[in-house]
């Protein structure tokens, strides 16, 4: 299951035509084009460009790549998305192509591909987009080009000093969670802070995902369940994946959504060398500069997945 979290570049294979296109109303497709100016990175002067792509000529002498319509690249709000997009912009411009960089209004993936208004998306977190398989495998409006150079890995994490504090507990492997004594080193359910934004919970009213900032599986609702608490950023990260993992493996874990406060809370625990369990992901500066251990989960169990291969369900 965990290896589904690779970071992927997704591209729409699109026949670039020289024909002038009608102006696009980007807003209709959840895209912001900054008026008509776009969000392109600053022009990058390329000296000694001897690769030759920009010199390829059409029979009439015009330049082949330059004569195509601009290639549209989408950026999301975070830094690595922009870095990847701007590198793609410069490489394409090096080849003589024109580019237009647009930005998403809302973090929804798909409309721009189904409507053919975007050509390249350089960073996609598959866990964030439940319709990813539909887009790439069934409707095939996008083609997965593979990793952009690094793979994202999400998981349940804790500070590695706990391995030294509790060497007998096998904290690296998920089954320790089923042992009430071992898991009790972590804060019990309901012990963490309750975080609001403008007086309202971060997430609410979505049973199965989050109610009043928490996910509490049915097996954690009895008084003697002895469930522990996992801190989580936003329920939109790895949307519903951990809730279903908790349900499926009957993990005695509840989730406390605290938004960006999660980082401060984990940092505070680190200072005091306290136990803490949280959802985290790499690559991030936070994970790179702290010593955390990710809990390992079983990989595919052939018995449980047999019905997906024999066509019965
Ligand atoms: C948006 O467009 C304006 C010109 O209309 C430009 O000056 C500005 O740099 C653009 N913003 C970004 C973030 O690219
Ligand atoms: C991380 O923590 C573990 C357990 O304390 C320790 O063995 C390891 O050396 C640490 N690694 C780094 C890079 O500090
Ligand atoms: C939401 O949770 C907080 C903290 O536990 C609690 O104080 C509040 O009453 C809850 N709100 C509702 C509507 O249950
Ligand atoms: C695989 O799943 C089956 C059915 O849930 C279970 O009986 C079996 O113990 C599992 N195997 C492993 C190695 O976890
Ligand atoms: C697979 O499907 C059969 C028939 O619907 C069902 O009896 C069985 O429990 C399923 N197996 C698993 C592991 O879900």
């Amino acid at each position: 299951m965990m290896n589904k979290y690779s970071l992927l570049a997704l591209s729409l294979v699109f026949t670039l035509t020289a024909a002038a296109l009608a102006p696009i109303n980007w807003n209709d497709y959840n895209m912001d084009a900054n008026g008509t100016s776009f969000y392109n990175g600053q022009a990058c002067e390329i000296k000694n460009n001897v690769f030759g792509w920009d010199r390829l000529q059409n029979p009439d002498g015009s330049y082949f790549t330059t004569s195509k319509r601009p290639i549209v690249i989408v950026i999301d709000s975070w830094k690595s998305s922009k870095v990847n997009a701007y590198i793609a912009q410069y490489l394409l411009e090096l080849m003589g192509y024109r580019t237009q960089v647009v930005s998403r209004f809302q973090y929804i993936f798909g409309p721009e591909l189904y409507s053919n208004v975007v050509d390249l998306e350089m960073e996609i977190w598959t866990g964030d987009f439940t319709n990813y398989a539909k887009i790439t495998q069934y409707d095939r409006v996008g083609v997965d080009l593979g990793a952009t150079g690094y793979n994202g890995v999400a998981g349940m994490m804790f500070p590695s000093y706990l391995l030294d504090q509790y060497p007998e507990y096998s904290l690296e492997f998920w089954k320790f969670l089923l042992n009430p004594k071992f898991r009790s080193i972590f804060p019990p359910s309901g012990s963490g802070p309750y975080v609001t934004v403008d007086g309202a919970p971060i997430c609410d009213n979505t049973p199965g995902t989050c109610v009043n900032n928490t996910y509490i599986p049915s097996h954690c609702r009895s008084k003697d369940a002895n469930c522990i608490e996992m801190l989580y950023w936003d329920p939109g990260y790895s949307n519903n994946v951990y809730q279903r993992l908790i349900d499926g493996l009957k993990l005695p874990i509840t989730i406390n959504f605290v938004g960006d406060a999660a980082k401060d809370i984990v940092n505070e625990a680190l200072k005091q060398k306290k136990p803490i369990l949280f959802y985290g992901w790499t690559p991030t500066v936070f994970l790179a500069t702290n010593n955390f251990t990710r809990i390992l989960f079983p990989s595919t169990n052939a018995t449980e997945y047999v019905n997906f291969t024999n066509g019965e369900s």
Side-chain angles (χ1 to χ4, degrees):
M1 205 164 179
M2 304 311 290
N3 61 9
K4 284 196 180 156
Y5 292 88
S6 57
L7 196 58
L8 301 166
L10 192 89
S11 148
L12 175 71
V13 171
F14 198 66
T15 314
L16 299 176
T17 58
L21 299 173
I24 294 171
N25 186 356
W26 298 94
N27 298 12
D28 289 349
Y29 306 104
N30 194 33
M31 292 292 140
D32 171 17
N34 189 25
T36 51
S37 301
F38 300 98
Y39 288 104
N40 288 41
Q42 288 176 4
C44 177
E45 197 199 331
I46 298 150
K47 292 192 175 133
N48 308 319
N49 178 4
V50 293
F51 295 104
W53 283 88
D54 60 332
R55 304 282 100 186
L56 287 173
Q57 288 180 350
N58 290 313
D60 69 1
S62 61
Y63 288 118
F64 178 78
T65 54
T66 313
S67 65
K68 302 299 183 191
R69 71 145 175 82
I71 294 176
V72 181
I73 309 169
V74 71
I75 49 172
D76 280 302
S77 59
W78 58 89
K79 285 183 194 143
S80 59
S81 165
K82 290 179 182 167
V83 169
N84 282 322
Y86 292 139
I87 289 172
Q89 176 198 322
Y90 295 139
L91 290 175
L92 289 166
E93 288 176 357
L94 180 84
M95 297 167 78
Y97 287 110
R98 293 171 294 146
T99 60
Q100 292 174 342
V101 178
V102 295
S103 174
R104 267 197 182 81
F105 268 123
Q106 284 171 300
Y107 195 46
I108 301 168
F109 173 60
E112 73 287 4
L113 296 175
Y114 282 95
S115 50
N116 282 356
V117 296
V118 159
D119 301 311
L120 270 174
E121 311 210 14
M122 297 305 293
E123 182 177 316
I124 297 296
W125 285 81
T126 52
D128 294 336
F129 297 111
T130 45
N131 56 352
Y132 183 78
K134 183 165 157 54
I135 285 170
T136 58
Q137 306 297 315
Y138 297 99
D139 295 346
R140 294 176 186 264
V141 296
V143 174
D144 184 344
L145 289 178
T148 51
Y150 55 87
N151 287 332
V153 177
M156 294 184 185
M157 320 236 168
F158 60 83
S160 301
Y161 48 72
L162 296 177
L163 295 173
D164 300 327
Q165 292 176 14
Y166 303 96
E168 314 285 302
Y169 285 13
S170 301
L171 301 177
E172 305 96 321
F173 189 58
W174 73 281
K175 285 218 170 169
F176 89 84
L177 292 164
L178 304 182
N179 181 312
K181 180 181 159 202
F182 293 179
R183 72 173 177 268
S184 72
I185 65 167
F186 289 106
S189 294
S191 54
Y194 177 71
V195 178
T196 54
V197 177
D198 298 329
I202 289 171
C203 51
D204 201 4
N205 299 326
T206 39
T209 302
C210 167
V211 176
N212 195 19
N213 275 1
T214 55
Y215 178 66
I216 304 175
S218 55
H219 57 266
C220 282
R221 289 190 189 140
S222 66
K223 278 265 178 276
D224 56 355
N226 295 320
C227 289
I228 58 171
E229 183 164 277
M230 173 167 71
L231 280 184
Y232 210 102
W233 265 252
D234 183 289
Y237 298 179
S238 300
N239 196 359
N240 281 320
V241 170
Y242 288 83
Q243 288 91 330
R244 299 295 79 78
L245 192 64
I246 287 169
D247 295 349
L249 292 174
K250 295 265 185 294
L251 302 178
I253 295 179
T254 61
I255 302 178
N256 182 10
F257 297 97
V258 294
D260 290 339
K263 198 166 150 186
D264 291 339
I265 299 166
V266 175
N267 272 326
E268 193 52 39
L270 291 177
K271 257 192 231 160
Q272 303 178 35
K273 279 211 152 189
K274 277 178 148 175
I276 191 151
L277 181 68
F278 66 98
Y279 162 88
W281 69 98
T282 62
T284 60
V285 174
F286 188 47
L287 272 282
T289 52
N290 287 295
N291 193 354
F292 295 124
T293 295
R294 180 166 62 92
I295 297 176
L296 296 176
F297 279 87
S299 54
T300 303
N301 175 326
T303 310
E304 290 180 342
Y305 290 102
V306 68
N307 282 357
F308 289 97
T309 55
N310 65 15
E312 282 182 358
S313 57

